Amino acid sequence: MSGERQLSELERHLLNDYQHGFPLSPTPYADMAEQLGVSEQQVLDSLERLQREGLVSRVGAVFRPNRVGASTLAAMSVAEEELESVAKIINSYPHVNHNYEREHEFNLWFVATAASEAELCSVLGEMEERTSHTILALPLLEDFHIDLGFDLQWT
Amino acid sequence: MDMKTLSQQLQSINRHLAELDAVDDAMIRAIENGLPLCSRPYAQIADQLGIDEPEVLARLAALQQQGVIKRMGVVVRHRELGYRANAMLVWDVPDDRVGELGRCLSQYDFITLCYRRPRVMPDWPYNLFCMIHGKSREDVLQRIDWLIEQCHLESLPHHVLFSRRRFKQRGAVYRSDRKGDEPVIQDKRYAT
């Protein structure tokens, strides 16, 4: 959690310029190094550090929803004093990849994915049972724009 | 939740499911948590799967071509980079205008996601969603005012759901059978 530290020129390029278009070549990091005028080892070390510090979640693929399996955004309305324990139950499912508290009567928001719609419905049903809270499930019906990454502003 | 309705909604969506064979499946499982940070990452995945490096590259290219993989690259965590005001903006718009308004919102760089989702009456009347990551709450609210003006959304009900605590964040896991092992609260600091 060291978002406040000064980033090097190389780190800024790695964070901003390769959010998409990661090379599909046998040596992607060497290709990036060549483009950036540094060594492959410097690229690997910097990415490793950014990942360790939590600034980079991973280097890899972002899958488009509804192509690989089933997924949905889901929300619950939970009393403040119960929120952490309910969040803990929700987090315990490997199907859950995001889980946030938000400012609304529906205050717990998470995304659940599964290999099939049947598995997804069954997981959500089990969550309702274990937390004694109703889930509002809002699957994606149409996407206009999905996570292409965006230009970071360093100022 | 009425699981029957959800199941029907999911089925209507799933007609777009890609045809994946067992090798694609195993490959997705192998890369869900990220590519290895080593000189020949695709060769390492190939070894793991018992296929060769050119096949991994070809399969990944095909998955991108089919739109199964939206992008390949460095996945940054915005909060850690100072984008601490993360707002989900939801609108209740007439069904026949969702496409037009979704496309209008999507053209602005600071909109990172924009979707249509179902209403669930009576609790949830909103059918158009977008995400804005900004450096401050004021910054995000200003951008919303500007969006309302640009896309002529003045008369349409909306709500801004700023994030507070983050309990979990990681890439989607479609194929894993691992146990969830995340700490309950990843970030106690509230968005500003």
Side-chain angles (χ1 to χ4, degrees):
Chain A
M1 301 283 176
S2 55
E4 318 310 327
R5 88 168 161 85
Q6 202 62 40
L7 295 164
S8 72
E9 189 68 19
L10 172 59
E11 286 172 326
R12 291 178 178 204
H13 279 297
L14 291 173
L15 288 166
N16 197 52
D17 305 353
Y18 294 94
Q19 294 184 51
H20 31 87
F22 185 79
L24 267 182
S25 85
T27 53
Y29 304 109
D31 295 0
M32 289 160 71
E34 198 186 328
Q35 287 162 12
L36 296 170
V38 295
S39 72
E40 182 187 33
Q41 199 55 48
Q42 279 175 287
V43 168
L44 289 168
D45 289 346
S46 299
L47 286 172
E48 205 272 325
R49 179 176 177 189
L50 290 168
Q51 204 164 336
R52 194 177 58 237
E53 292 178 346
L55 302 184
V56 163
S57 135
R58 66 188 185 282
V59 179
V62 174
F63 295 97
R64 189 171 186 149
N66 305 329
R67 294 297 188 281
V68 183
S71 68
T72 190
L73 177 67
M76 280 177 160
S77 176
V78 183
E80 173 61 35
E81 60 273 19
E82 264 188 285
L83 200 55
E84 282 195 20
S85 62
V86 171
K88 191 174 176 181
I89 295 174
I90 301 299
N91 281 5
S92 74
Y93 288 84
H95 310 81
V96 173
N97 55 74
H98 286 80
N99 189 9
Y100 282 89
E101 177 188 6
R102 292 194 176 278
E103 297 173 2
H104 191 270
E105 186 191 328
F106 285 102
N107 54 351
L108 190 66
W109 289 83
F110 57 94
V111 176
T113 58
S116 68
E117 77 206 34
E119 187 188 338
L120 185 61
C121 289
S122 127
V123 163
L124 294 175
E126 194 185 306
M127 287 171 171
E128 287 190 326
E129 222 164 88
R130 283 182 63 194
T131 61
S132 309
H133 283 284
T134 304
I135 289 176
L136 181 71
L138 303 165
L140 184 157
L141 299 177
E142 189 178 354
D143 67 272
F144 303 109
H145 182 71
I146 292 188
D147 199 14
L148 292 168
F150 68 97
D151 257 340
L152 299 163
Q153 274 149 27
W154 303 113
T155 47
Chain B
M1 178 69 203
D2 171 5
M3 292 299 166
K4 200 174 155 211
T5 307
L6 175 61
S7 176
Q8 279 164 1
Q9 283 166 346
L10 290 169
Q11 274 169 31
S12 77
I13 295 162
N14 281 345
R15 65 172 179 263
H16 302 298
L17 270 187
E19 298 265 330
L20 302 175
D21 66 17
V23 178
D24 285 330
D25 230 58
M27 189 174 70
I28 289 169
R29 193 193 289 259
I31 66 168
E32 270 178 338
N33 291 309
L35 296 171
L37 294 176
C38 66
S39 196
R40 303 284 291 269
Y42 303 113
Q44 189 174 316
I45 291 158
D47 273 355
Q48 218 177 306
L49 299 175
I51 56 178
D52 62 16
E53 188 186 39
E55 187 177 349
V56 169
L57 290 167
R59 281 176 179 271
L60 285 173
L63 290 178
Q64 286 199 59
Q65 187 83 35
Q66 293 170 55
V68 172
I69 291 177
K70 185 74 185 171
R71 67 174 166 111
M72 291 271 294
V74 175
V75 182
V76 304
R77 302 182 83 179
H78 293 108
R79 240 186 223 215
E80 281 71 2
L81 286 166
Y83 288 82
R84 304 193 55 77
N86 153 338
M88 184 169 81
L89 179 58
V90 295
W91 303 87
D92 171 5
V93 308
D95 288 334
D96 61 356
R97 292 192 63 202
V98 179
E100 167 210 337
L101 296 173
R103 281 184 292 276
C104 185
L105 294 170
S106 297
Q107 64 185 309
Y108 300 102
D109 279 352
F110 56 87
I111 298 283
T112 48
L113 303 159
C114 186
Y115 307 116
R116 181 164 74 88
R117 298 186 184 277
R119 306 170 206 273
V120 179
M121 299 311 284
D123 298 327
W124 189 260
Y126 305 106
N127 56 345
L128 182 61
F129 288 61
C130 58
M131 296 293 308
I132 300 183
H133 286 82
K135 294 201 166 179
S136 72
R137 203 177 173 102
E138 293 67 37
D139 172 39
V140 168
L141 291 171
Q142 258 176 25
R143 287 175 171 199
I144 293 172
D145 285 344
W146 192 75
L147 281 174
I148 290 174
E149 207 177 290
Q150 295 296 312
C151 297
H152 309 291
L153 295 159
E154 291 84 355
S155 60
L156 300 170
H158 76 280
H159 199 93
V160 186
L161 291 86
F162 278 103
S163 67
R164 301 183 79 199
R165 279 170 291 183
R166 178 178 66 198
F167 293 116
K168 191 172 191 177
Q169 180 193 14
R170 72 155 186 228
V173 175
Y174 288 94
R175 292 289 187 265
S176 175
D177 42 18
R178 282 190 341 276
K179 289 272 176 233
D181 51 4
E182 304 286 324
V184 185
I185 299 181
Q186 290 200 335
D187 188 352
K188 280 211 175 210
R189 292 176 297 184
Y190 283 30
T192 47

